[in-house]
Every structure is written in structure tokens, then in C-alpha cells.
Amino acid sequence: MEKPGIIIVDDHRLFRSGLRYILDASNKYAVIAEASNGLELINLLETTKPQLVIMDINMPKMNGIEATRISLSKYPDLKIIILSMYGEIEYYYTLLDYGIKGFILKDADNEEFFLALNKVLSGETYFSQGLLLNIIHESSLADPIKLSRREIEILGLISQGLSNQEIAGVLYISQRTVERHRTHLLEKTGSKNSIRLIIYALKHNLISI
């Protein structure tokens, strides 16, 4: 089976080398390229087709925010995980709206790192609980909207990472019904995507992690 191709984007060569070593040692992934800034990544993507990009935020020439925006506007199916520090919360919502698939702290252990990679590569999202709690703590709290019992039930299953099909199976309802509830939840809460929806639910104690 072909190994998923990964590009590492970070301006610190030593950090890139460390990530490459960890990924190579697992024998489950192929690091197909490295970039020291966002501009190098944009150029690489013209000729290289990775399954996943691991992206730093603060880099010279072009930072991770701009590189993410350009990359996902050109290649919307590209999966990007952001390597983050606690102090970079100001960028989180922007990156979420661009469509990144995960945030992970730079000081995460190997177990969490591989969990994030595997979830994102399988089509799910992964956001460090520490970062989620930090976002919630720093965000302003608007008045909650009223949700039905069924909507709260579906919201809880969404927060567990279940797909529409899986939620339909758990609740013994049609997938179309789940899709309709998900759409209504996004509209009611003013959320642009599922992770924004989860953040809203956590802020208002509708779910817990």
C-alpha cells in the first residue's frame, strides 16, 4: 500500500529534520518535500501532490496563514494541519474559515501527533483539546440560541467526529435527516463549519470534551 505523501513547512531546519525523523521511523508515511516558508510551499504544490501538509504559522517571506489561504483556494481538497503555539489564537478562526483540517501544538507528544495525522488523512478533523479550550476561554460569549433535544443529540455525535452516515446509524434515522439537522445547526449558530459549531457548543456548555 502506498504511503501518504507529506510536505513539512517550517522555517527551522532542525525542527523539520526532527519531524522527518519521526515520520520516517514510523514507516507509515512518506515525506516527499520540505519547505522553509509558505512561498516555497506554493511553488512545490505546482509539481508535487501531497496528501497532507504540516504547516507552521510564523515564517519569513510568506507565513502559514497566507500560504494556507492560497493553497486551499487552488487545491481545496488539500489537507493541512497547523503546528501552533498557545499565543497564536488570533489566527485560529481565520485558518478555520480557510478550511484547515487540524491544529496541533508544537510540544505535543508523538502519540497525539500520529493521532492527528491519522484522523486528518482518514477525512476527519483533529484539534488539540488544549487549543480548543484556549479558543473558548479567549472568545466572547454571545447569548445561546435554543436547540431541540434532537439537535443537541446530533451536536454531541458531531463533536465525537462521527460522519452523517454514522450518526444516522446511531440514531436510526435517515442520512438526509442528519444532513438537514447539521445544516440547521450551522445556520442557527452562525457557524461556517463543523469545528466552529463544536466551539460554539463547548462555549455554551451544550457538550463537553
Side-chain angles (χ1 to χ4, degrees), residues 147-155 181 184-185 188:
L147 300 179
S148 69
R149 180 187 61 80
R150 177 63 90 188
E151 287 173 330
I152 292 174
E153 197 172 24
I154 288 175
L155 188 53
H181 277 300
H184 288 165
L185 282 167
K188 279 186 174 183

Side-chain angles (χ1 to χ4, degrees), residues 103-188:
F103 281 112
I104 188 167
L105 287 168
K106 278 194 167 184
D107 61 358
D109 59 27
N110 287 6
E111 183 179 358
E112 185 180 13
F113 178 64
F114 286 123
L115 175 63
L117 263 58
N118 293 335
K119 278 188 171 291
V120 169
L121 285 168
S122 66
E124 300 178 46
T125 56
Y126 184 86
F127 297 87
S128 162
Q129 288 194 2
L131 284 171
L132 277 179
L133 291 172
N134 197 34
I135 293 171
I136 294 159
H137 177 72
E138 295 293 336
S139 302
S140 58
L141 192 66
D143 292 334
I145 48 88
K146 186 173 287 187
L147 300 179
S148 69
R149 180 187 61 80
R150 177 63 90 188
E151 287 173 330
I152 292 174
E153 197 172 24
I154 288 175
L155 188 53
L157 294 171
I158 290 172
S159 72
Q160 294 174 32
L162 273 64
S163 66
N164 289 345
Q165 184 177 1
E166 290 169 331
I167 294 172
V170 170
L171 299 178
Y172 301 103
I173 58 178
S174 72
Q175 186 171 333
R176 181 168 293 182
T177 299
V178 177
E179 291 168 356
R180 186 168 64 249
H181 277 300
R182 186 189 285 262
T183 299
H184 288 165
L185 282 167
L186 291 170
E187 290 173 350
K188 279 186 174 183

